[in-house]
Amino acid sequence: MTVSFEQPDSQSQVVDTKNQCELVLDGGFMVPNNSGGFDAPDINAFGHTFRDYEIESERQKQVEEFYKMNHINQTYDFVKRMREEYKKLDKLEMSIWECCELLNEVVDDSDPDLDEPQIQHLLQTAEAIRKDYPNEDWLHLTALIHDLGKVLLLPKFGELPQWAVVGDTHPLGCAFDESIVHNKYFKENPDSNNPAYQTKNGIYPQGCGLDNVMISWGHDDYMYLVSLHRAGAYKHLMNEEDVENLKWLQIFNKYDLYSKSKVRVDVEEVKPYYLSLIEKYFPEKLRW
């Protein structure tokens, strides 16, 4: 599914600075203080620090096993095959909200911070952004749809294994960076035996742009989104457009990563608001 948003004109925005922090990001957005807004917690739903992959627990063992399978099986050729298969968009037609409801059936095995159905993660992220940026409805909708590609786990979409749908993403066709979580398992990946893929740039020209880089297959690629590795390990492949988009990604990441909670959003209570956004931006059913 291909989706796009027209970003607000930052030159025409007027920003009230009285109750904001001093940090201003391009795009006209400020990082708000926590007075009445979203307050990022220090610990995740399991009582640990966020994104900690080293804690000994049953959840962490499951997460590590996921990344082992992901790092062994995500190869350049595998991603090429998946892109060819799924760009047909021949599974079914449905609305954005119908897709959201399908995520009631999906739990992300790669997530060390939450084991709730994915519709809760979508709504928790969207509601957190809504608190801090009440007037940016396009950003609320971005949060709502950002993980819809996880429907790939369901039978009607091919019932792909978790390692082929969720988890952090990384480029293929160049050296695997050491900062990637559970990096040790890449030694079993067939691409590790291809000399062309073992340099920093690999098969890519410097600054080629992330649109031209083969990224590990999953829900992000299915939604035609480009994910930047959280450690910034592949900035040498970015072009000017990627750098501009990074500013928006840095805003979004706070809410995507730190809004996860065992306290569920009342779906029926917030549903009318998100249906109104879907009607505004995506009134028709989409091909998936």
Side-chain angles (χ1 to χ4, degrees):
M1 187 190 75
T2 305
V3 296
S4 62
F5 288 100
E6 182 176 335
Q7 294 181 353
D9 181 358
S10 61
Q11 300 301 318
S12 63
Q13 286 187 326
V14 178
V15 182
D16 180 2
T17 61
K18 290 182 180 179
N19 295 311
Q20 303 284 340
C21 297
E22 293 182 356
L23 177 59
V24 182
L25 300 180
D26 285 2
F29 284 100
M30 287 186 163
V31 177
N33 60 31
N34 289 325
S35 178
F38 169 66
D39 190 3
D42 295 323
I43 58 175
N44 65 18
F46 301 105
H48 306 307
T49 56
F50 281 87
R51 309 292 282 180
D52 189 336
Y53 293 93
E54 305 302 327
I55 293 174
E56 287 292 330
S57 69
E58 287 303 313
R59 179 65 178 171
Q60 295 302 82
K61 291 177 183 177
Q62 179 179 343
V63 171
E64 180 167 356
E65 181 60 25
F66 161 83
Y67 275 108
K68 177 181 179 180
M69 299 302 297
N70 176 281
H71 293 348
I72 292 173
N73 291 292
Q74 288 275 2
T75 66
Y76 188 94
D77 288 342
F78 171 75
V79 176
K80 283 182 64 177
R81 293 197 305 272
M82 290 297 99
R83 286 185 173 183
E84 286 299 313
E85 171 64 24
Y86 282 93
K87 74 179 184 181
K88 301 171 187 176
L89 300 178
D90 59 356
K91 306 303 178 187
L92 71 160
E93 288 190 1
M94 62 180 171
S95 69
I96 292 290
W97 187 260
E98 287 173 324
C99 188
C100 290
E101 290 183 325
L102 287 179
L103 292 187
N104 272 318
E105 306 171 42
V106 173
V107 173
D108 185 340
D109 284 351
S110 74
D111 192 342
D113 300 321
L114 193 66
D115 59 359
E116 296 292 315
Q118 283 296 294
I119 191 172
Q120 283 296 315
H121 173 51
L122 302 184
L123 291 172
Q124 287 173 356
T125 306
E127 286 293 282
I129 290 177
R130 187 179 172 191
K131 286 182 179 179
D132 284 352
Y133 301 106
N135 299 320
E136 311 303 331
D137 65 354
W138 66 273
L139 195 55
H140 311 163
L141 186 56
T142 298
L144 184 72
I145 71 171
H146 81 280
D147 272 351
L148 289 187
K150 292 179 181 179
V151 293
L152 289 174
L153 294 166
L154 302 176
K156 64 184 66 177
F157 291 90
E159 200 169 14
L160 295 182
Q162 288 263 344
W163 63 260
V165 179
V166 301
D168 287 353
T169 57
H170 55 271
L172 284 306
C174 59
F176 299 117
D177 193 85
E178 292 183 357
S179 64
I180 300 174
V181 61
H182 294 306
N183 177 276
K184 60 188 177 183
Y185 294 118
F186 282 123
K187 64 184 179 183
E188 300 179 54
N189 185 303
D191 284 0
S192 295
N193 298 320
N194 188 331
Y197 299 161
Q198 301 314 304
T199 63
K200 183 177 181 180
N201 283 3
I203 63 175
Y204 307 109
Q206 183 93 2
C208 65
L210 295 182
D211 280 344
N212 299 308
V213 175
M214 192 74 80
I215 305 293
S216 54
W217 173 255
H219 66 283
D220 289 325
D221 213 17
Y222 181 52
M223 294 288 288
Y224 291 93
L225 301 177
V226 176
S227 295
L228 182 69
H229 186 258
R230 62 189 177 89
Y234 298 99
K235 287 186 177 180
H236 57 286
L237 299 176
M238 293 168 61
N239 59 19
E240 291 183 4
E241 182 180 1
D242 296 326
V243 172
E244 182 63 27
N245 288 335
L246 177 60
K247 298 165 186 175
W248 295 95
L249 181 61
Q250 288 170 335
I251 291 174
F252 184 81
N253 271 353
K254 168 187 173 183
Y255 302 94
D256 184 16
L257 297 179
Y258 300 112
S259 62
K260 299 167 185 174
S261 169
K262 284 289 189 181
V263 179
R264 294 195 174 197
V265 175
D266 186 328
V267 177
E268 292 305 312
E269 180 180 341
V270 301
K271 180 178 177 180
Y273 173 70
Y274 290 103
L275 286 177
S276 72
L277 297 189
I278 293 167
E279 178 63 25
K280 178 178 178 179
Y281 290 100
F282 297 111
E284 72 286 353
K285 289 193 174 183
L286 304 174
R287 291 181 61 196
W288 299 76

